[in-house]
Amino acid sequence: MKLGAFSISLSVKDLQKSRDFYEKLGFTTMAGTTESNYLIMKNGSTLIGLFQAMFDGNMLTFNPGWDENAQNLESFDDVREIQKKLKESGVEIGKEADETTSGPEHIYLKDPDGNMILIDQHR
């Protein structure tokens, strides 16, 4: 399964404080704005999403169709294909993708320890 770019999505209390902290660790903003309540920070090939008041808890995030620079990949597994494979393997999907559509879509699932995983396709 090709899941695309990986990042950790952090639910933060104060976006500016979190931005300042991660900048001290060498991260720079590659997407988002404080006005939109989220920033995508990058250090080398490592990505961290900072989200204020958008969701509860932290989650692992995968972006099918993108590399770590948010550049389109030539070949990738559509989130609907990923969902189908997961369901065939007995994985429970919390929020399913609409299989009658194409393009941007997402699914949520949890690992055996309850950690949230978002598979978020943007194209």
Side-chain angles (χ1 to χ4, degrees), residues 39-111:
L39 298 168
I40 306 301
M41 309 286 294
K42 184 172 185 189
N43 181 332
S45 62
T46 303
L47 298 171
I48 297 175
L50 306 175
F51 298 86
Q52 183 176 321
M54 295 182 81
F55 55 83
D56 292 327
N58 302 323
M59 67 181 108
L60 306 175
T61 303
F62 297 93
N63 300 111
W66 278 2
D67 68 12
E68 71 274 3
N69 296 308
Q71 298 298 307
N72 291 342
L73 295 171
E74 189 174 314
S75 173
F76 69 98
D77 292 346
D78 186 272
V79 68
R80 293 153 197 86
E81 295 171 30
I82 294 168
Q83 174 177 278
K84 183 179 178 185
K85 290 176 187 175
L86 292 172
K87 288 171 72 174
E88 287 171 355
S89 297
V91 175
E92 185 176 328
I93 308 294
K95 186 274 180 196
E96 293 189 15
D98 182 348
E99 294 179 0
T100 65
T101 63
S102 63
E105 181 61 280
H106 66 278
I107 62 175
Y108 289 106
L109 55 134
K110 291 183 180 180
D111 74 8

